[in-house]
C-alpha cells in the first residue's frame, strides 16, 4: 500500500471542495475532479473564499492560505488521479452514479491506492464489489462543513482490510480529524441516529405541532443542540436528506424510516435548503 502524499477528490461540490480544502491545509497535494470546467472553477473559488474567511478570523495565516490554495489542482480528466495515494469519491448520494464513478476511478488508480467513498448512507460492501481490490476500499464519511467539523467516520465493508482501515485512520489524524471506525450498515452511526430525528422534526412541522422556528429553538435550548434540526436539514440539503431516508426505508424494511411527506413535497418543489435559497427557511442569494 503506497504512502498517501497526493489525494484525489472526485466531486467539486460542497463536500468535495471541503475535503479538498482540508487536505490542502494539512499539506497534501490535491487534484479535484468534476465533469465540467465550470464546476471545477466554482469548487476552487469556494475553497479560496473559505480560506479567506478563515484568514479574517485569524484561524490561518495569509501565507498558509496561499500555500493551501496552491496545492489544489482542479481538473476534468480522471487520468490526473493516477498518482494519488488516496482517491475519495464525493459525488451526489446516488448508488448508480457512485458505481459509475468508482469503476472509472478504479481503472486509473495505481497499485496500492486506497479508494474511498464519502457516502452518508450507501452500503460500502456494495460499492466495494465493483473495484479490483475491494480490500483497499472503505467509507470515509466527512461532515459538513468539512474544514470545521472534527469527525470522520471510517466505514469498514465486508472486504475492507485492517491495513486499509489503519492507513485511513492515520490519514484522518493527519488532517487533524478524529476518526471513528464503524461497521457497514445503512447510515452507519451518526446518520443512523441523526436523520430519523430530523425526519421526525419534519413530521412535527407537517402536523402543525409548532413553527419551524419553535421546533428548532426547542431542540437548541432544550437539548443544547448547536443548531435546530430543520435548519440543519437546510444545511445538509433536503434532497440529500430524502435520499438517506429512502435508503433507510428500503434497506431496513421498517416503516419507522419512511420519509415525511412534507420532505418529499419540499424536494419536488425544488426547496432544497441553503443551496437553493429556500428550504424550511429562506436565504439571501
Amino acid at each position: 500500500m503506497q504512502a498517501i502524499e497526493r489525494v484525489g477528490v472526485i466531486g467539486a461540490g460542497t463536500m468535495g471542495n471541503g475535503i479538498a480544502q482540508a487536505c490542502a491545509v494539512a499539506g497534501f497535494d490535491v487534484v479535484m475532479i468534476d465533469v465540467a470546467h465550470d464546476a471545477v472553477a466554482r469548487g476552487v473559488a469556494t475553497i479560496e473564499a473559505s480560506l479567506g474567511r478563515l484568514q479574517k478570523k485569524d484561524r490561518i495565516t495569509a501565507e498558509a492560505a496561499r500555500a493551501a490554495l496552491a496545492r489544489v489542482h482542479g481538473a476534468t480528466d480522471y487520468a490526473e488521479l493516477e498518482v494519488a495515494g488516496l482517491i475519495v469519491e464525493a459525488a451526489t448520494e446516488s448508488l448508480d452514479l457512485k458505481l459509475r464513478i468508482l469503476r472509472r476511478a478504479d481503472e486509473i488508480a495505481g497499485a496500492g491506492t486506497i479508494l474511498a467513498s464519502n457516502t452518508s448512507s450507501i452500503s460500502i460492501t456494495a460499492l466495494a464489489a465493483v473495484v479490483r481490490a475491494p480490500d483497499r476500499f472503505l467509507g470515509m464519511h466527512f461532515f459538513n462543513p468539512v474544514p470545521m467539523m472534527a469527525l470522520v467516520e471510517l466505514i469498514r465493508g465486508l472486504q475492507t482490510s485492517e491495513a486499509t482501515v489503519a492507513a485511513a485512520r492515520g490519514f484522518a489524524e493527519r488532517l487533524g480529524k478524529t476518526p471513528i471506525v464503524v461497521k457497514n450498515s445503512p447510515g452507519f452511526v451518526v446518520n443512523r441516529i441523526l436523520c430519523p430525528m430530523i425526519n421526525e422534526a419534519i413530521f412535527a412541522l407537517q402536523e402543525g405541532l409548532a413553527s419551524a422556528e419553535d421546533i428548532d429553538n426547542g431542540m437548541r435550548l432544550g437539548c443544547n443542540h448547536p443548531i435546530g434540526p430543520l435548519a440543519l436539514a437546510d444545511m445538509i440539503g433536503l434532497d440529500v436528506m430524502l435520499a438517506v431516508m429512502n435508503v433507510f426505508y428500503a434497506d431496513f424494511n421498517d416503516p419507522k424510516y419512511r420519509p415525511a411527506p412534507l420532505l418529499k413535497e419540499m424536494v419536488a418543489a425544488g426547496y432544497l435548503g441553503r443551496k437553493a435559497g429556500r428550504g424550511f427557511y429562506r436565504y439571501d442569494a
Side-chain angles (χ1 to χ4, degrees), residues 57-89:
K57 295 176 181 178
D58 293 325
R59 295 181 179 176
I60 190 171
T61 65
E63 182 180 357
R66 286 193 297 270
L69 187 62
R71 294 187 192 103
V72 179
H73 171 62
T76 58
D77 187 354
Y78 273 61
E80 299 273 359
L81 299 171
E82 186 175 3
V83 296
L86 169 68
I87 299 173
V88 182
E89 171 274 314

Side-chain angles (χ1 to χ4, degrees), residues 198-199 201-207 211-213 215-216 229-243 246 259-283:
I198 295 174
N199 193 53
I202 300 171
F203 269 114
L205 179 64
Q206 173 185 306
E207 293 166 14
S211 67
E213 292 83 356
I215 290 169
D216 279 352
L230 300 176
L232 180 56
D234 279 354
M235 183 182 294
I236 293 169
L238 302 193
D239 52 338
V240 176
M241 271 297 308
L242 180 57
N246 281 333
L262 177 58
L263 175 59
K264 294 181 179 180
E265 283 285 292
M266 298 282 281
V267 172
Y271 301 159
L272 306 182
R274 285 182 177 272
K275 61 187 173 186
R278 180 173 178 178
F280 295 109
Y281 299 92
R282 289 182 180 271
Y283 303 89

